[in-house]
Amino acid sequence: MNRIESPRTDDNAIEQEIKDKGLTAPRVTPDDITDSILSAYFFTALEAADRTCNLVRACDQVPLSLLTLCVLTLRNGFTVTGESACASPENFDPELGKKIARANAVQKIWPLMGYALKEKLANAAPVSAPSNGTMTVFRGGGARAHAGLTMPLNTAEGRQQRGLGELVDQARELAAAAEAGNV
């Protein structure tokens, strides 16, 4: 059988490359991922089945014993899972199974923390008026481009046309205050 390389990368090596390139914008780091993990639980599917079922069929015992599961509890109470399945019983190694299952669970944390960071950055973004005389007003706060409505700022027709004149005026005042550092 042909050897298939895993697309998995070394997170610490990538973090070092980011640092070496001088990239300093907010990002999720391997340390952030590690710090987000409160606890880890490991078990095989056979152990889980033994706890929840009165009887595991004999034909299922070997396959279930080759599936290692990892449950990571994050500091906010959310859980992620990872798994490692061994095709050949002769190759099964409990410690290696735990290592692979944990790595698979950790990979699921990256998009969650990336989303949380992006949400935080979007909600912290100041409201500002572009120099072209238009402003995009967002419903519900934050920088949600899909929910925005771009309108002329400097014409009464533009404001009245959409019935948002007062809202636009408030947004302009807020943008001016933000530019002046008063917000």
Side-chain angles (χ1 to χ4, degrees), residues 93-140:
D93 178 274
E95 292 309 309
L96 185 57
K98 289 176 183 179
K99 183 179 178 180
I100 294 169
R102 182 184 175 96
N104 287 334
V106 165
Q107 288 304 309
K108 294 178 182 179
I109 301 172
W110 284 96
L112 297 171
M113 291 191 66
Y115 176 85
L117 175 59
K118 184 64 176 177
E119 189 74 6
K120 179 180 174 184
L121 294 172
N123 287 331
V127 176
S128 62
S131 60
N132 65 1
T134 65
M135 174 178 276
T136 302
V137 177
F138 299 102
R139 293 177 286 184

Side-chain angles (χ1 to χ4, degrees), residues 50-155:
D50 281 343
R51 289 183 189 144
T52 59
C53 303
N54 291 334
L55 180 64
V56 176
R57 297 181 319 174
C59 64
D60 289 334
Q61 288 183 359
V62 171
L64 292 177
S65 70
L66 301 177
L67 175 62
T68 303
L69 303 163
C70 173
V71 178
L72 298 178
T73 303
L74 306 183
R75 294 211 176 274
N76 66 3
F78 195 74
T79 56
V80 293
T81 61
E83 62 286 322
S84 172
C86 183
S88 299
E90 301 80 21
N91 288 338
F92 180 74
D93 178 274
E95 292 309 309
L96 185 57
K98 289 176 183 179
K99 183 179 178 180
I100 294 169
R102 182 184 175 96
N104 287 334
V106 165
Q107 288 304 309
K108 294 178 182 179
I109 301 172
W110 284 96
L112 297 171
M113 291 191 66
Y115 176 85
L117 175 59
K118 184 64 176 177
E119 189 74 6
K120 179 180 174 184
L121 294 172
N123 287 331
V127 176
S128 62
S131 60
N132 65 1
T134 65
M135 174 178 276
T136 302
V137 177
F138 299 102
R139 293 177 286 184
R144 295 179 181 90
H146 66 279
L149 174 63
T150 301
M151 63 187 75
L153 286 175
N154 300 326
T155 65

